Amino acid sequence: SRLVWSCRKCQAVAMVFAASTVLAACDPSSAFFGFMGVTSAIVFANLGAAYGTAKSGVGISSMGVMRPDLVMRSIIPVVMAGGLGIFGLITTVIING
């Protein structure tokens, strides 16, 4: 039992040393640029989703005036634009991982 404890203690010390050497080798600004990449991923994905929703909303309005029987069919782009926002959120979570 004492041998197992000392072995686990050595492993823990080795892991802390390995993590500190990896962090010491990285430039301090690398974390900034990494998180800026995550931020830009979610911002641009949601801007694209908002733009797509706005443009398809204009199309639905036009469709309601010109061809009211096809209004339900023109809702598909709104759903796709919402899916783009969700995809951006998933991508951000995976990048941040």
Side-chain angles (χ1 to χ4, degrees):
S1 128
R2 186 173 191 141
L3 180 62
V4 172
W5 171 251
S6 67
C7 184
R8 286 186 187 162
K9 189 175 179 183
C10 290
Q11 288 175 349
V13 170
M15 287 172 51
V16 169
F17 179 72
S20 66
T21 55
V22 168
L23 290 176
C26 291
D27 189 28
S29 65
S30 62
F32 170 75
F33 288 113
F35 283 114
M36 285 304 290
V38 169
T39 303
S40 65
I42 195 163
V43 165
F44 289 130
N46 285 324
L47 281 175
Y51 182 75
T53 302
K55 293 296 273 188
S56 59
V58 170
I60 289 173
S61 299
S62 299
M63 188 66 71
V65 170
M66 290 189 264
R67 303 266 317 257
D69 53 325
L70 296 178
V71 169
M72 291 306 290
R73 189 176 288 176
S74 63
I75 291 180
I76 294 172
V78 176
V79 174
M80 294 298 163
L84 176 66
I86 293 170
F87 179 69
L89 179 66
I90 291 170
T91 304
T92 303
V93 169
I94 290 172
I95 291 173
N96 197 21

